[in-house]
mmCIF file of all heavy atoms in Angstrom:
data_model
loop_
_atom_site.group_PDB
_atom_site.id
_atom_site.type_symbol
_atom_site.label_atom_id
_atom_site.label_comp_id
_atom_site.label_asym_id
_atom_site.label_seq_id
_atom_site.Cartn_x
_atom_site.Cartn_y
_atom_site.Cartn_z
ATOM 1 N N PRO A 204 -4.770 42.865 -7.082
ATOM 2 C CA PRO A 204 -4.865 41.845 -8.123
ATOM 3 C C PRO A 204 -3.770 42.029 -9.169
ATOM 4 O O PRO A 204 -3.512 43.141 -9.625
ATOM 5 C CB PRO A 204 -6.252 42.073 -8.723
ATOM 6 C CG PRO A 204 -6.596 43.481 -8.391
ATOM 7 C CD PRO A 204 -5.884 43.809 -7.122
ATOM 8 N N LYS A 205 -3.124 40.932 -9.513
ATOM 9 C CA LYS A 205 -2.082 40.911 -10.541
ATOM 10 C C LYS A 205 -2.276 39.666 -11.393
ATOM 11 O O LYS A 205 -3.080 38.791 -11.075
ATOM 12 C CB LYS A 205 -0.678 40.867 -9.912
ATOM 13 C CG LYS A 205 -0.348 42.025 -8.991
ATOM 14 C CD LYS A 205 -0.102 43.287 -9.755
ATOM 15 C CE LYS A 205 0.266 44.414 -8.801
ATOM 16 N NZ LYS A 205 0.515 45.651 -9.482
ATOM 17 N N ILE A 206 -1.519 39.582 -12.467
ATOM 18 C CA ILE A 206 -1.515 38.409 -13.332
ATOM 19 C C ILE A 206 -0.103 37.845 -13.362
ATOM 20 O O ILE A 206 0.863 38.593 -13.510
ATOM 21 C CB ILE A 206 -1.947 38.774 -14.777
ATOM 22 C CG1 ILE A 206 -3.380 39.271 -14.823
ATOM 23 C CG2 ILE A 206 -1.745 37.602 -15.733
ATOM 24 C CD1 ILE A 206 -4.425 38.219 -14.556
ATOM 25 N N LYS A 207 0.027 36.526 -13.202
ATOM 26 C CA LYS A 207 1.327 35.880 -13.343
ATOM 27 C C LYS A 207 1.346 35.121 -14.662
ATOM 28 O O LYS A 207 0.496 34.264 -14.904
ATOM 29 C CB LYS A 207 1.608 34.928 -12.189
ATOM 30 C CG LYS A 207 2.963 34.236 -12.337
ATOM 31 C CD LYS A 207 3.473 33.604 -11.059
ATOM 32 C CE LYS A 207 2.755 32.355 -10.693
ATOM 33 N NZ LYS A 207 3.427 31.597 -9.621
ATOM 34 N N VAL A 208 2.297 35.465 -15.504
ATOM 35 C CA VAL A 208 2.482 34.800 -16.800
ATOM 36 C C VAL A 208 3.745 33.954 -16.694
ATOM 37 O O VAL A 208 4.801 34.457 -16.317
ATOM 38 C CB VAL A 208 2.634 35.839 -17.941
ATOM 39 C CG1 VAL A 208 2.890 35.140 -19.262
ATOM 40 C CG2 VAL A 208 1.423 36.731 -18.020
ATOM 41 N N GLU A 209 3.631 32.671 -17.025
ATOM 42 C CA GLU A 209 4.775 31.769 -16.978
ATOM 43 C C GLU A 209 5.040 31.206 -18.370
ATOM 44 O O GLU A 209 4.118 30.716 -19.023
ATOM 45 C CB GLU A 209 4.509 30.617 -16.016
ATOM 46 C CG GLU A 209 4.305 31.055 -14.582
ATOM 47 C CD GLU A 209 3.901 29.904 -13.678
ATOM 48 O OE1 GLU A 209 4.800 29.238 -13.132
ATOM 49 O OE2 GLU A 209 2.682 29.668 -13.557
ATOM 50 N N ILE A 210 6.296 31.293 -18.799
ATOM 51 C CA ILE A 210 6.693 30.697 -20.075
ATOM 52 C C ILE A 210 8.046 30.024 -19.903
ATOM 53 O O ILE A 210 8.830 30.396 -19.030
ATOM 54 C CB ILE A 210 6.772 31.733 -21.230
ATOM 55 C CG1 ILE A 210 7.809 32.813 -20.931
ATOM 56 C CG2 ILE A 210 5.423 32.350 -21.501
ATOM 57 C CD1 ILE A 210 8.075 33.751 -22.094
ATOM 58 N N VAL A 211 8.307 29.036 -20.740
ATOM 59 C CA VAL A 211 9.622 28.394 -20.795
ATOM 60 C C VAL A 211 10.159 28.618 -22.200
ATOM 61 O O VAL A 211 9.469 28.350 -23.191
ATOM 62 C CB VAL A 211 9.529 26.884 -20.460
ATOM 63 C CG1 VAL A 211 10.890 26.222 -20.614
ATOM 64 C CG2 VAL A 211 9.001 26.688 -19.055
ATOM 65 N N VAL A 212 11.376 29.146 -22.265
ATOM 66 C CA VAL A 212 12.001 29.457 -23.559
ATOM 67 C C VAL A 212 13.413 28.903 -23.584
ATOM 68 O O VAL A 212 13.992 28.576 -22.548
ATOM 69 C CB VAL A 212 12.035 30.989 -23.814
ATOM 70 C CG1 VAL A 212 10.631 31.558 -23.925
ATOM 71 C CG2 VAL A 212 12.818 31.714 -22.743
ATOM 72 N N THR A 213 13.979 28.824 -24.786
ATOM 73 C CA THR A 213 15.381 28.440 -24.913
ATOM 74 C C THR A 213 16.245 29.594 -24.422
ATOM 75 O O THR A 213 15.803 30.745 -24.382
ATOM 76 C CB THR A 213 15.732 28.120 -26.376
ATOM 77 O OG1 THR A 213 15.495 29.288 -27.170
ATOM 78 C CG2 THR A 213 14.901 26.952 -26.905
ATOM 79 N N ALA A 214 17.476 29.304 -24.076
ATOM 80 C CA ALA A 214 18.391 30.335 -23.584
ATOM 81 C C ALA A 214 18.601 31.427 -24.626
ATOM 82 O O ALA A 214 18.758 32.600 -24.285
ATOM 83 C CB ALA A 214 19.722 29.700 -23.189
ATOM 84 N N GLU A 215 18.586 31.054 -25.907
ATOM 85 C CA GLU A 215 18.779 32.027 -26.985
ATOM 86 C C GLU A 215 17.617 33.016 -27.074
ATOM 87 O O GLU A 215 17.784 34.148 -27.495
ATOM 88 C CB GLU A 215 18.938 31.320 -28.342
ATOM 89 C CG GLU A 215 20.142 30.409 -28.443
ATOM 90 C CD GLU A 215 19.917 29.045 -27.804
ATOM 91 O OE1 GLU A 215 18.780 28.533 -27.808
ATOM 92 O OE2 GLU A 215 20.897 28.503 -27.251
ATOM 93 N N MET A 216 16.444 32.585 -26.689
ATOM 94 C CA MET A 216 15.242 33.407 -26.808
ATOM 95 C C MET A 216 14.973 34.239 -25.549
ATOM 96 O O MET A 216 14.112 35.124 -25.559
ATOM 97 C CB MET A 216 14.054 32.483 -27.081
ATOM 98 C CG MET A 216 12.848 33.124 -27.623
ATOM 99 S SD MET A 216 11.662 31.817 -27.953
ATOM 100 C CE MET A 216 10.726 32.609 -29.186
ATOM 101 N N LEU A 217 15.721 33.993 -24.493
ATOM 102 C CA LEU A 217 15.467 34.610 -23.187
ATOM 103 C C LEU A 217 15.459 36.133 -23.234
ATOM 104 O O LEU A 217 14.492 36.761 -22.808
ATOM 105 C CB LEU A 217 16.497 34.123 -22.171
ATOM 106 C CG LEU A 217 16.382 34.728 -20.769
ATOM 107 C CD1 LEU A 217 15.068 34.305 -20.112
ATOM 108 C CD2 LEU A 217 17.564 34.319 -19.930
ATOM 109 N N ASP A 218 16.525 36.737 -23.748
ATOM 110 C CA ASP A 218 16.630 38.201 -23.734
ATOM 111 C C ASP A 218 15.518 38.862 -24.541
ATOM 112 O O ASP A 218 14.961 39.874 -24.132
ATOM 113 C CB ASP A 218 18.004 38.648 -24.242
ATOM 114 C CG ASP A 218 19.116 38.295 -23.273
ATOM 115 O OD1 ASP A 218 18.831 38.154 -22.066
ATOM 116 O OD2 ASP A 218 20.271 38.155 -23.710
ATOM 117 N N ALA A 219 15.190 38.299 -25.689
ATOM 118 C CA ALA A 219 14.124 38.862 -26.528
ATOM 119 C C ALA A 219 12.774 38.788 -25.819
ATOM 120 O O ALA A 219 11.973 39.727 -25.884
ATOM 121 C CB ALA A 219 14.061 38.140 -27.868
ATOM 122 N N ALA A 220 12.511 37.681 -25.127
ATOM 123 C CA ALA A 220 11.243 37.519 -24.413
ATOM 124 C C ALA A 220 11.145 38.514 -23.254
ATOM 125 O O ALA A 220 10.098 39.150 -23.056
ATOM 126 C CB ALA A 220 11.101 36.087 -23.902
ATOM 127 N N ILE A 221 12.226 38.687 -22.518
ATOM 128 C CA ILE A 221 12.225 39.644 -21.407
ATOM 129 C C ILE A 221 12.014 41.060 -21.930
ATOM 130 O O ILE A 221 11.211 41.817 -21.389
ATOM 131 C CB ILE A 221 13.533 39.541 -20.596
ATOM 132 C CG1 ILE A 221 13.571 38.221 -19.840
ATOM 133 C CG2 ILE A 221 13.664 40.719 -19.626
ATOM 134 C CD1 ILE A 221 14.895 37.924 -19.177
ATOM 135 N N GLU A 222 12.732 41.418 -22.998
ATOM 136 C CA GLU A 222 12.574 42.750 -23.603
ATOM 137 C C GLU A 222 11.139 43.005 -24.023
ATOM 138 O O GLU A 222 10.602 44.092 -23.810
ATOM 139 C CB GLU A 222 13.479 42.885 -24.830
ATOM 140 C CG GLU A 222 14.840 43.435 -24.538
ATOM 141 C CD GLU A 222 15.646 43.606 -25.815
ATOM 142 O OE1 GLU A 222 15.129 44.215 -26.779
ATOM 143 O OE2 GLU A 222 16.782 43.120 -25.831
ATOM 144 N N ALA A 223 10.508 42.005 -24.641
ATOM 145 C CA ALA A 223 9.136 42.155 -25.111
ATOM 146 C C ALA A 223 8.176 42.381 -23.950
ATOM 147 O O ALA A 223 7.302 43.249 -24.012
ATOM 148 C CB ALA A 223 8.724 40.916 -25.907
ATOM 149 N N ILE A 224 8.349 41.626 -22.880
ATOM 150 C CA ILE A 224 7.475 41.774 -21.712
ATOM 151 C C ILE A 224 7.649 43.154 -21.096
ATOM 152 O O ILE A 224 6.671 43.854 -20.819
ATOM 153 C CB ILE A 224 7.751 40.673 -20.664
ATOM 154 C CG1 ILE A 224 7.369 39.297 -21.223
ATOM 155 C CG2 ILE A 224 6.977 40.957 -19.374
ATOM 156 C CD1 ILE A 224 7.871 38.130 -20.393
ATOM 157 N N VAL A 225 8.899 43.561 -20.878
ATOM 158 C CA VAL A 225 9.168 44.860 -20.259
ATOM 159 C C VAL A 225 8.610 45.992 -21.116
ATOM 160 O O VAL A 225 7.987 46.930 -20.602
ATOM 161 C CB VAL A 225 10.685 45.048 -20.021
ATOM 162 C CG1 VAL A 225 11.003 46.482 -19.638
ATOM 163 C CG2 VAL A 225 11.176 44.087 -18.943
ATOM 164 N N LYS A 226 8.808 45.895 -22.417
ATOM 165 C CA LYS A 226 8.370 46.958 -23.329
ATOM 166 C C LYS A 226 6.862 47.197 -23.255
ATOM 167 O O LYS A 226 6.405 48.333 -23.182
ATOM 168 C CB LYS A 226 8.784 46.621 -24.758
ATOM 169 C CG LYS A 226 8.435 47.675 -25.767
ATOM 170 C CD LYS A 226 8.897 47.272 -27.151
ATOM 171 C CE LYS A 226 8.456 48.293 -28.179
ATOM 172 N NZ LYS A 226 8.799 47.876 -29.536
ATOM 173 N N VAL A 227 6.079 46.131 -23.278
ATOM 174 C CA VAL A 227 4.624 46.308 -23.325
ATOM 175 C C VAL A 227 3.967 46.395 -21.948
ATOM 176 O O VAL A 227 2.885 46.956 -21.820
ATOM 177 C CB VAL A 227 3.925 45.211 -24.171
ATOM 178 C CG1 VAL A 227 4.409 45.242 -25.590
ATOM 179 C CG2 VAL A 227 4.116 43.835 -23.573
ATOM 180 N N ALA A 228 4.611 45.865 -20.898
ATOM 181 C CA ALA A 228 3.992 45.865 -19.567
ATOM 182 C C ALA A 228 4.309 47.127 -18.774
ATOM 183 O O ALA A 228 3.650 47.408 -17.784
ATOM 184 C CB ALA A 228 4.432 44.635 -18.776
ATOM 185 N N ARG A 229 5.293 47.894 -19.208
ATOM 186 C CA ARG A 229 5.706 49.080 -18.445
ATOM 187 C C ARG A 229 4.728 50.233 -18.644
ATOM 188 O O ARG A 229 4.421 50.610 -19.764
ATOM 189 C CB ARG A 229 7.097 49.518 -18.889
ATOM 190 C CG ARG A 229 7.569 50.789 -18.170
ATOM 191 C CD ARG A 229 8.932 51.232 -18.628
ATOM 192 N NE ARG A 229 9.939 50.318 -18.056
ATOM 193 C CZ ARG A 229 11.086 50.059 -18.643
ATOM 194 N NH1 ARG A 229 11.385 50.574 -19.808
ATOM 195 N NH2 ARG A 229 11.939 49.241 -18.055
ATOM 196 N N THR A 230 4.247 50.775 -17.525
ATOM 197 C CA THR A 230 3.436 51.997 -17.562
ATOM 198 C C THR A 230 4.226 53.168 -16.997
ATOM 199 O O THR A 230 3.850 54.314 -17.175
ATOM 200 C CB THR A 230 2.135 51.847 -16.741
ATOM 201 O OG1 THR A 230 2.480 51.719 -15.354
ATOM 202 C CG2 THR A 230 1.303 50.676 -17.200
ATOM 203 N N GLY A 231 5.308 52.854 -16.278
ATOM 204 C CA GLY A 231 6.108 53.887 -15.649
ATOM 205 C C GLY A 231 5.623 54.262 -14.268
ATOM 206 O O GLY A 231 6.172 55.143 -13.626
ATOM 207 N N LYS A 232 4.581 53.587 -13.808
ATOM 208 C CA LYS A 232 4.026 53.872 -12.481
ATOM 209 C C LYS A 232 4.331 52.715 -11.542
ATOM 210 O O LYS A 232 4.581 51.595 -11.975
ATOM 211 C CB LYS A 232 2.519 54.086 -12.576
ATOM 212 C CG LYS A 232 2.154 55.281 -13.421
ATOM 213 C CD LYS A 232 0.666 55.466 -13.500
ATOM 214 C CE LYS A 232 0.388 56.675 -14.386
ATOM 215 N NZ LYS A 232 -0.909 56.614 -14.999
ATOM 216 N N ILE A 233 4.265 52.991 -10.250
ATOM 217 C CA ILE A 233 4.516 51.956 -9.252
ATOM 218 C C ILE A 233 3.517 50.813 -9.439
ATOM 219 O O ILE A 233 2.361 51.036 -9.786
ATOM 220 C CB ILE A 233 4.450 52.559 -7.831
ATOM 221 C CG1 ILE A 233 5.061 51.595 -6.822
ATOM 222 C CG2 ILE A 233 3.052 52.959 -7.462
ATOM 223 C CD1 ILE A 233 5.362 52.237 -5.485
#
């Protein structure tokens, strides 16, 4: 089981949104 989150952002906001997701979703495990 997984969760798929979908968002649409402006190109300017893209990097910040990706960074935020990676920062909080990472556990460091497979």
Side-chain angles (χ1 to χ4, degrees):
K205 301 287 182 180
I206 296 290
K207 179 163 74 168
V208 177
E209 297 174 89
I210 61 172
V211 176
V212 296
T213 60
E215 298 80 32
M216 198 176 205
L217 178 65
D218 291 335
I221 291 171
E222 269 183 50
I224 294 168
V225 169
K226 183 179 176 184
V227 299
R229 178 181 286 151
T230 67
K232 297 180 181 155
I233 195 165

